Amino acid sequence: MRIPCPYCGERDAHEFSYLGDATLTRPDPAAADAEQAFHDYVYLRDNPAGAHEEWWYHANGCRQWLRVTRDTRTHAISGAAPARKSGEPA
Ligand SMILES: [Zn+2]
């Protein structure tokens, strides 16, 4: 599997570390159901079939976090973008 790093170009997946689902949103700690929401956020995962957005870290390259779109059935990578959107603070 090859990942098109926006900084380094297309590289082998062995240069990267996988973190997980990039679609999760951290729950509001002040919400009334915060305990259950954090349990679900930390422990429960979907197992999607098809295109999925994931966090990958280019550990043996530019050391940047990427948001990679990968088809979980074929491992085909359809896109990779910097994790931080332009204009966001460092
Ligand atoms: Zn890179």
Side-chain angles (χ1 to χ4, degrees):
M1 187 167 77
R2 299 192 54 89
I3 297 176
C5 177
Y7 303 106
C8 307
E10 189 174 282
R11 300 297 172 101
D12 192 90
H14 289 103
E15 293 186 8
F16 296 80
S17 296
Y18 171 81
L19 174 67
D21 189 345
T23 63
L24 297 175
T25 303
R26 187 179 177 88
D28 178 6
D33 65 342
E35 188 172 338
Q36 182 63 45
F38 269 97
H39 174 272
D40 296 352
Y41 174 73
V42 172
Y43 295 109
L44 301 183
R45 294 290 177 266
D46 292 331
N47 189 18
H52 189 244
E53 290 193 11
E54 303 168 333
W55 295 122
W56 287 78
Y57 177 65
H58 198 180
N60 293 331
C62 59
R63 297 186 176 185
Q64 296 296 309
W65 284 97
L66 307 176
R67 178 187 290 262
V68 174
T69 304
R70 178 179 66 93
D71 190 313
T72 59
R73 296 169 296 185
T74 63
H75 298 296
I77 306 288
S78 59
R84 186 181 309 139
K85 297 175 182 132
S86 63
E88 285 184 355

